[in-house]
Amino acid sequence: MAICTVYTTQLNPTCSSISTPSKPQHLGFHQNQVVFYKKTSNYKRSKSAARPSYLITCAAAGGDSQTVVIGLAADSGCGKSTFMRRLTSVFGGAAEPPKGGNPDSNTLISDTTTVICLDDYHSLDRTGRKEKGVTALDPRANDFDLMYDQVKALKDGVAVDKPIYNHVTGLLDPPELIKPPKILVIEGLHPMYDSRVRDLLDFSIYLDISNEVKFAWKIQRDMAERGHSLESIKASIEARKPDFDAYIDPQKQYADAVIEVLPTQLIPDDNEGKVLRVKLIMKEGVEFFSPVYLFDEGSTISWIPCGRKLTCSYPGIKFTYGPDSYYGHEVSVLEMDGQFDRLDELIYVESHLSNISTKFYGEVTQQMLKHSDFPGSNNGTGLFQTIVGLKIRDLYEQITTSKTQTPAQATKA
């Protein structure tokens, strides 16, 4: 039996393309995939009205056609792009913009994954936001209906014409065609803000960067890569803070995993922010996800690994692990404070971690060495981003396996 979805669409009489589907109804058919239009002869419309049509798509139940959707939330300048590069690397294949498309596209496509930047669902361009006095963080500057419709369509195996927000010009560019991938990552400011979109996610991550660290990172990115002045960066941060507190930060309560980046506690009164303390907060009871642990699952551990097997210059490295509560949820928390001197020695730390979903001994270390030039590769941000990437790969494999087994078990029954 195939799972079929019927979408009511609007067909513009002057255009032959299919608009974004909405209002799905699920039916059972044996077709592999069917697309057709139905026109009614007694339908009365004005000259400007669009004609209602229907799009039916069918995919074999239990197959690998349904896209697994991952959500990554964070404020601007908090390491989402680096995390995406680490994640796509775990699945193999270079992640690149759509070939032959808009050179300013925010989308990254590899053999397995497609990464969509949710800035593309801004309903107001830069000038429009300025005229209305809203920031990009304000829900009023974003089209959540379109975001939901298109993520839902991609999850169900239907290609969409996704808009493009041009970060260079601040304008809304013509849309680009996005085909359903095996894994869709939606990253940006609001992947967990709208409950409809949130319910589509198979796994969610929130990057929680402290104000001190965020400021240092944003200066590095916006001054070095985007040519912004220090004054404009400070003004941008201050202008965004109320909306960040109201609309972005509350999303972390819904995340299955949170990577929290804080100033170090190893250096008293540290103001430089070069050494970081990073927490990996993992929600218990998430389907297809088992939290990582250090030494003994469920215990409370404090470990300073510096010694003969791990080179540690001042101020050293400290790991902690244990159970905790986070927004009313039971969680396991793994923390690293400090930074590595030699990434090849990371294998010693890796050997003491369990449930890291590697396919072979030393895979975490291999991935870290492979991207040693990425920001955070010498501290917990790179380590935990890599581990979460491996966990997402394992989650994807478990989901696809369960889809394959379910119809086979039903047939036997």
Side-chain angles (χ1 to χ4, degrees):
M1 178 69 70
I3 303 301
C4 297
T5 305
V6 178
Y7 292 98
T8 304
T9 71
Q10 294 297 324
L11 179 61
N12 189 316
T14 63
C15 180
S16 60
S17 65
I18 300 173
S19 63
T20 303
S22 62
K23 300 178 182 177
Q25 298 178 15
H26 299 287
L27 303 173
F29 285 98
H30 290 282
Q31 293 94 331
N32 193 20
Q33 182 171 23
V34 180
V35 178
F36 69 85
Y37 301 104
K38 179 181 179 182
K39 303 178 183 179
T40 56
S41 58
N42 62 348
Y43 177 66
K44 297 179 180 180
R45 63 185 179 89
S46 65
K47 291 182 180 180
S48 61
R51 178 174 296 160
S53 307
Y54 301 94
L55 168 64
I56 295 184
T57 63
C58 303
D64 61 357
S65 58
Q66 188 179 45
T67 296
V68 172
V69 183
I70 307 298
L72 173 65
D75 194 8
S76 175
C78 288
K80 295 188 298 293
S81 298
T82 300
F83 191 2
M84 288 302 94
R85 288 190 290 168
R86 292 188 190 277
L87 176 60
T88 54
S89 175
V90 167
F91 287 95
E96 300 175 345
K99 294 181 179 179
N102 189 329
D104 293 322
S105 171
N106 303 305
T107 303
L108 293 175
I109 298 176
S110 68
D111 296 340
T112 306
T113 61
T114 293
V115 180
I116 287 179
C117 175
L118 295 184
D119 288 357
D120 288 336
Y121 293 101
H122 288 339
S123 56
L124 299 173
D125 61 17
R126 193 175 295 156
T127 301
R129 295 196 300 271
K130 186 175 181 180
E131 290 175 348
K132 292 185 178 295
V134 298
T135 71
L137 290 75
D138 193 313
R140 293 173 295 176
N142 297 273
D143 190 340
F144 288 100
D145 289 338
L146 181 61
M147 183 191 301
Y148 167 73
D149 284 342
Q150 294 202 338
V151 174
K152 178 67 167 66
L154 289 168
K155 189 177 181 73
D156 289 341
V158 180
V160 302
D161 284 322
K162 181 189 63 60
I164 298 174
Y165 177 77
N166 192 315
H167 285 99
V168 178
T169 65
L171 299 174
L172 301 172
D173 286 353
E176 61 186 356
L177 178 66
I178 302 296
K179 298 179 180 179
K182 293 181 179 179
I183 300 170
L184 174 66
V185 182
I186 58 171
E187 61 92 359
L189 299 170
H190 303 97
M192 291 173 271
Y193 178 82
D194 188 292
S195 61
R196 298 169 302 169
V197 178
R198 191 165 68 239
D199 289 343
L200 295 175
L201 302 178
D202 294 290
F203 192 78
S204 55
I205 310 107
Y206 186 92
L207 301 183
D208 188 13
I209 316 300
S210 69
N211 290 332
E212 302 92 331
V213 176
K214 185 188 299 184
F215 183 66
W217 284 7
K218 196 167 179 63
I219 287 178
Q220 180 179 356
R221 188 199 68 170
D222 287 359
M223 289 186 69
E225 299 179 14
R226 298 183 179 178
H228 296 183
S229 67
L230 180 62
E231 291 73 19
S232 68
I233 294 172
K234 289 180 178 179
S236 174
I237 291 175
E238 290 303 315
R240 293 166 64 93
K241 193 175 188 311
D243 283 352
F244 171 79
D245 292 340
Y247 308 120
I248 311 304
D249 194 57
Q251 293 178 74
K252 62 189 179 186
Q253 65 185 299
Y254 304 115
D256 299 313
V258 175
I259 297 178
E260 184 177 4
V261 184
L262 304 157
T264 182
Q265 290 184 333
L266 298 177
I267 303 174
D269 302 319
D270 177 60
N271 294 317
E272 293 186 9
K274 293 182 179 180
V275 180
L276 301 176
R277 177 168 62 100
V278 186
K279 293 183 177 182
L280 176 56
I281 304 169
M282 300 160 284
K283 191 178 293 183
E284 297 283 354
V286 177
E287 188 175 18
F288 305 119
F289 176 79
S290 299
V292 179
Y293 64 90
L294 176 66
F295 291 117
D296 184 40
E297 187 172 14
S299 296
T300 299
I301 306 292
S302 178
W303 180 42
I304 298 176
C306 302
R308 296 179 180 179
K309 297 183 178 180
L310 191 69
T311 303
C312 296
S313 58
Y314 179 82
I317 297 175
K318 181 179 180 180
F319 281 88
T320 60
Y321 161 77
D324 206 340
S325 178
Y326 189 78
Y327 286 95
H329 299 285
E330 291 185 4
V331 297
S332 291
V333 181
L334 178 63
E335 177 183 312
M336 174 185 167
D337 196 350
Q339 58 190 27
F340 300 108
D341 287 346
R342 294 180 51 181
L343 278 182
D344 59 321
E345 295 179 344
L346 175 59
I347 188 69
Y348 175 61
V349 173
E350 180 180 349
S351 66
H352 289 79
L353 296 172
S354 298
N355 275 355
I356 51 178
S357 299
T358 53
K359 290 188 177 296
F360 56 87
Y361 179 74
E363 187 177 12
V364 171
T365 303
Q366 182 191 76
Q367 285 289 328
M368 291 284 284
L369 287 168
K370 181 179 178 181
H371 303 298
S372 59
D373 58 332
F374 284 12
S377 290
N378 66 339
N379 59 47
T381 58
L383 175 61
F384 293 157
Q385 287 177 6
T386 299
I387 290 175
V388 171
L390 295 172
K391 298 296 293 183
I392 290 174
R393 181 185 65 186
D394 180 63
L395 176 135
Y396 165 74
E397 292 173 350
Q398 289 189 63
I399 290 175
T400 53
T401 298
S402 69
K403 289 178 182 177
T404 303
Q405 292 176 345
T406 299
Q409 292 170 350
T411 301
K412 291 180 181 179

CSV table of all heavy atoms in Angstrom, one decimal, residues 54-89:
chain,number,residue,atom,x,y,z
A,54,TYR,N,-5.7,20.2,-8.2
A,54,TYR,CA,-5.3,19.2,-7.2
A,54,TYR,C,-4.0,18.5,-7.6
A,54,TYR,O,-3.8,18.2,-8.7
A,54,TYR,CB,-6.4,18.1,-7.0
A,54,TYR,CG,-7.7,18.7,-6.6
A,54,TYR,CD1,-8.7,19.0,-7.6
A,54,TYR,CD2,-8.0,19.0,-5.3
A,54,TYR,CE1,-9.9,19.6,-7.2
A,54,TYR,CE2,-9.2,19.6,-4.9
A,54,TYR,CZ,-10.1,19.9,-5.9
A,54,TYR,OH,-11.3,20.4,-5.5
A,55,LEU,N,-3.1,18.4,-6.6
A,55,LEU,CA,-1.9,17.7,-6.8
A,55,LEU,C,-1.9,16.4,-5.9
A,55,LEU,O,-2.1,16.5,-4.7
A,55,LEU,CB,-0.7,18.6,-6.4
A,55,LEU,CG,0.7,17.9,-6.3
A,55,LEU,CD1,1.1,17.4,-7.6
A,55,LEU,CD2,1.7,18.9,-5.7
A,56,ILE,N,-1.7,15.3,-6.6
A,56,ILE,CA,-1.7,14.0,-5.8
A,56,ILE,C,-0.3,13.4,-5.9
A,56,ILE,O,0.2,13.2,-7.0
A,56,ILE,CB,-2.7,13.0,-6.3
A,56,ILE,CG1,-4.1,13.6,-6.1
A,56,ILE,CG2,-2.6,11.7,-5.6
A,56,ILE,CD1,-5.2,12.6,-6.4
A,57,THR,N,0.3,13.1,-4.8
A,57,THR,CA,1.6,12.4,-4.9
A,57,THR,C,1.5,11.2,-4.0
A,57,THR,O,0.9,11.2,-3.0
A,57,THR,CB,2.8,13.3,-4.3
A,57,THR,OG1,2.5,13.6,-2.9
A,57,THR,CG2,2.9,14.6,-5.1
A,58,CYS,N,2.1,10.1,-4.5
A,58,CYS,CA,2.1,8.8,-3.8
A,58,CYS,C,3.5,8.3,-3.6
A,58,CYS,O,4.3,8.4,-4.5
A,58,CYS,CB,1.3,7.8,-4.6
A,58,CYS,SG,-0.4,8.3,-4.9
A,59,ALA,N,3.8,7.8,-2.4
A,59,ALA,CA,5.1,7.2,-2.1
A,59,ALA,C,4.9,5.9,-1.4
A,59,ALA,O,4.0,5.8,-0.6
A,59,ALA,CB,5.9,8.1,-1.3
A,60,ALA,N,5.7,4.9,-1.7
A,60,ALA,CA,5.5,3.6,-1.1
A,60,ALA,C,5.7,3.7,0.4
A,60,ALA,O,6.6,4.2,0.9
A,60,ALA,CB,6.5,2.6,-1.7
A,61,ALA,N,4.7,3.2,1.1
A,61,ALA,CA,4.8,3.2,2.6
A,61,ALA,C,6.0,2.4,3.0
A,61,ALA,O,6.3,1.3,2.6
A,61,ALA,CB,3.5,2.6,3.2
A,62,GLY,N,6.7,3.0,4.0
A,62,GLY,CA,7.9,2.3,4.5
A,62,GLY,C,9.1,2.5,3.7
A,62,GLY,O,10.2,2.0,4.1
A,63,GLY,N,9.0,3.2,2.6
A,63,GLY,CA,10.2,3.4,1.8
A,63,GLY,C,11.1,4.5,2.3
A,63,GLY,O,10.8,5.1,3.4
A,64,ASP,N,12.1,4.9,1.5
A,64,ASP,CA,13.0,6.0,2.0
A,64,ASP,C,12.6,7.3,1.4
A,64,ASP,O,13.4,8.2,1.4
A,64,ASP,CB,14.4,5.6,1.7
A,64,ASP,CG,14.7,5.5,0.2
A,64,ASP,OD1,13.7,5.6,-0.6
A,64,ASP,OD2,15.9,5.2,-0.2
A,65,SER,N,11.4,7.4,0.9
A,65,SER,CA,11.0,8.6,0.1
A,65,SER,C,10.6,9.8,1.1
A,65,SER,O,10.8,10.9,0.7
A,65,SER,CB,9.8,8.3,-0.8
A,65,SER,OG,8.7,7.8,0.0
A,66,GLN,N,10.1,9.4,2.3
A,66,GLN,CA,9.8,10.5,3.2
A,66,GLN,C,11.1,11.1,3.8
A,66,GLN,O,11.9,10.4,4.3
A,66,GLN,CB,8.9,10.0,4.3
A,66,GLN,CG,8.4,11.2,5.2
A,66,GLN,CD,7.4,10.8,6.3
A,66,GLN,OE1,7.7,9.8,7.0
A,66,GLN,NE2,6.3,11.5,6.4
A,67,THR,N,11.1,12.4,3.7
A,67,THR,CA,12.3,13.2,4.2
A,67,THR,C,12.3,13.3,5.7
A,67,THR,O,11.3,13.5,6.3
A,67,THR,CB,12.3,14.6,3.5
A,67,THR,OG1,12.4,14.4,2.1
A,67,THR,CG2,13.4,15.4,4.1
A,68,VAL,N,13.5,13.1,6.3
A,68,VAL,CA,13.7,13.3,7.7
A,68,VAL,C,14.1,14.8,7.9
A,68,VAL,O,15.0,15.3,7.2
A,68,VAL,CB,14.9,12.4,8.2
A,68,VAL,CG1,15.2,12.7,9.7
A,68,VAL,CG2,14.4,10.9,8.1
A,69,VAL,N,13.4,15.4,8.8
A,69,VAL,CA,13.6,16.9,8.9
A,69,VAL,C,14.3,17.2,10.3
A,69,VAL,O,13.8,16.8,11.3
A,69,VAL,CB,12.3,17.6,8.9
A,69,VAL,CG1,12.5,19.1,8.9
A,69,VAL,CG2,11.5,17.3,7.6
A,70,ILE,N,15.4,18.0,10.2
A,70,ILE,CA,16.1,18.4,11.4
A,70,ILE,C,16.0,19.9,11.5
A,70,ILE,O,16.2,20.6,10.5
A,70,ILE,CB,17.6,18.0,11.2
A,70,ILE,CG1,17.8,16.5,10.9
A,70,ILE,CG2,18.4,18.3,12.5
A,70,ILE,CD1,17.2,15.6,11.9
A,71,GLY,N,15.8,20.4,12.7
A,71,GLY,CA,15.7,21.8,12.9
A,71,GLY,C,16.9,22.3,13.8
A,71,GLY,O,17.2,21.7,14.8
A,72,LEU,N,17.5,23.4,13.3
A,72,LEU,CA,18.6,24.0,14.1
A,72,LEU,C,18.3,25.5,14.3
A,72,LEU,O,18.2,26.3,13.4
A,72,LEU,CB,19.9,23.9,13.3
A,72,LEU,CG,21.1,24.6,13.9
A,72,LEU,CD1,21.5,24.0,15.3
A,72,LEU,CD2,22.3,24.6,12.9
A,73,ALA,N,18.2,25.9,15.6
A,73,ALA,CA,17.8,27.2,15.9
A,73,ALA,C,19.0,27.9,16.6
A,73,ALA,O,19.7,27.3,17.4
A,73,ALA,CB,16.6,27.3,16.8
A,74,ALA,N,19.2,29.2,16.3
A,74,ALA,CA,20.2,30.0,16.9
A,74,ALA,C,20.1,31.4,16.4
A,74,ALA,O,19.5,31.7,15.4
A,74,ALA,CB,21.6,29.5,16.7
A,75,ASP,N,20.6,32.4,17.2
A,75,ASP,CA,20.6,33.8,16.8
A,75,ASP,C,21.7,33.9,15.7
A,75,ASP,O,22.5,33.0,15.4
A,75,ASP,CB,21.0,34.7,18.0
A,75,ASP,CG,20.7,36.1,17.7
A,75,ASP,OD1,20.1,36.4,16.6
A,75,ASP,OD2,21.1,37.0,18.5
A,76,SER,N,21.7,35.0,15.0
A,76,SER,CA,22.7,35.3,14.0
A,76,SER,C,24.1,35.4,14.6
A,76,SER,O,24.3,35.9,15.7
A,76,SER,CB,22.3,36.7,13.4
A,76,SER,OG,23.3,37.1,12.4
A,77,GLY,N,25.0,34.8,13.8
A,77,GLY,CA,26.4,34.8,14.3
A,77,GLY,C,26.7,33.9,15.4
A,77,GLY,O,27.7,34.1,16.1
A,78,CYS,N,26.0,32.8,15.5
A,78,CYS,CA,26.2,31.9,16.6
A,78,CYS,C,26.7,30.5,16.2
A,78,CYS,O,26.7,29.5,16.9
A,78,CYS,CB,24.9,31.7,17.4
A,78,CYS,SG,24.5,33.1,18.4
A,79,GLY,N,27.2,30.4,15.0
A,79,GLY,CA,27.9,29.2,14.5
A,79,GLY,C,27.0,28.2,13.8
A,79,GLY,O,27.4,27.0,13.6
A,80,LYS,N,25.9,28.6,13.3
A,80,LYS,CA,25.0,27.7,12.5
A,80,LYS,C,25.7,27.2,11.3
A,80,LYS,O,25.6,26.0,10.9
A,80,LYS,CB,23.7,28.4,12.2
A,80,LYS,CG,22.8,28.7,13.4
A,80,LYS,CD,21.4,29.2,12.9
A,80,LYS,CE,21.5,30.5,12.1
A,80,LYS,NZ,21.9,31.7,12.8
A,81,SER,N,26.4,28.1,10.6
A,81,SER,CA,27.0,27.7,9.3
A,81,SER,C,28.1,26.7,9.5
A,81,SER,O,28.2,25.7,8.7
A,81,SER,CB,27.6,29.0,8.6
A,81,SER,OG,26.6,29.9,8.3
A,82,THR,N,28.9,26.9,10.6
A,82,THR,CA,30.0,25.9,10.9
A,82,THR,C,29.3,24.6,11.3
A,82,THR,O,29.8,23.5,10.8
A,82,THR,CB,30.8,26.4,12.0
A,82,THR,OG1,31.4,27.7,11.6
A,82,THR,CG2,31.9,25.4,12.4
A,83,PHE,N,28.3,24.6,12.1
A,83,PHE,CA,27.6,23.3,12.4
A,83,PHE,C,27.1,22.6,11.2
A,83,PHE,O,27.2,21.4,11.1
A,83,PHE,CB,26.5,23.7,13.4
A,83,PHE,CG,25.9,22.5,14.1
A,83,PHE,CD1,26.4,21.2,13.9
A,83,PHE,CD2,24.8,22.6,14.9
A,83,PHE,CE1,25.8,20.1,14.5
A,83,PHE,CE2,24.3,21.5,15.6
A,83,PHE,CZ,24.8,20.2,15.3
A,84,MET,N,26.5,23.4,10.3
A,84,MET,CA,26.0,22.7,9.0
A,84,MET,C,27.1,22.1,8.2
A,84,MET,O,26.9,21.0,7.7
A,84,MET,CB,25.3,23.8,8.2
A,84,MET,CG,23.9,24.2,8.7
A,84,MET,SD,22.8,22.9,9.0
A,84,MET,CE,23.0,22.5,10.7
A,85,ARG,N,28.3,22.7,8.2
A,85,ARG,CA,29.4,22.1,7.4
A,85,ARG,C,29.9,20.8,8.1
A,85,ARG,O,30.2,19.8,7.4
A,85,ARG,CB,30.5,23.1,7.3
A,85,ARG,CG,30.2,24.2,6.3
A,85,ARG,CD,31.5,25.1,6.1
A,85,ARG,NE,31.9,25.8,7.2
A,85,ARG,CZ,33.1,26.5,7.3
A,85,ARG,NH1,34.0,26.4,6.4
A,85,ARG,NH2,33.3,27.2,8.4
A,86,ARG,N,29.9,20.8,9.4
A,86,ARG,CA,30.3,19.6,10.1
A,86,ARG,C,29.2,18.5,9.9
A,86,ARG,O,29.6,17.3,9.7
A,86,ARG,CB,30.4,19.9,11.6
A,86,ARG,CG,31.6,20.8,12.0
A,86,ARG,CD,31.7,20.8,13.5
A,86,ARG,NE,32.7,21.8,14.0
A,86,ARG,CZ,34.0,21.7,14.0
A,86,ARG,NH1,34.5,20.5,13.6
A,86,ARG,NH2,34.8,22.6,14.4
A,87,LEU,N,27.9,18.9,10.0
A,87,LEU,CA,26.9,17.9,9.8
A,87,LEU,C,26.9,17.3,8.4
A,87,LEU,O,26.8,16.0,8.3
A,87,LEU,CB,25.5,18.5,10.1
A,87,LEU,CG,24.3,17.7,9.9
A,87,LEU,CD1,24.3,16.4,10.8
A,87,LEU,CD2,23.0,18.5,10.1
A,88,THR,N,26.9,18.1,7.4
A,88,THR,CA,26.9,17.5,6.0
A,88,THR,C,28.2,16.7,5.8
A,88,THR,O,28.1,15.7,5.0
A,88,THR,CB,26.8,18.7,5.0
A,88,THR,OG1,27.9,19.6,5.2
A,88,THR,CG2,25.5,19.4,5.1
A,89,SER,N,29.3,17.0,6.4
A,89,SER,CA,30.5,16.2,6.2
A,89,SER,C,30.3,14.8,6.8
A,89,SER,O,30.9,13.8,6.2
A,89,SER,CB,31.7,16.9,7.0
A,89,SER,OG,32.8,16.1,6.9
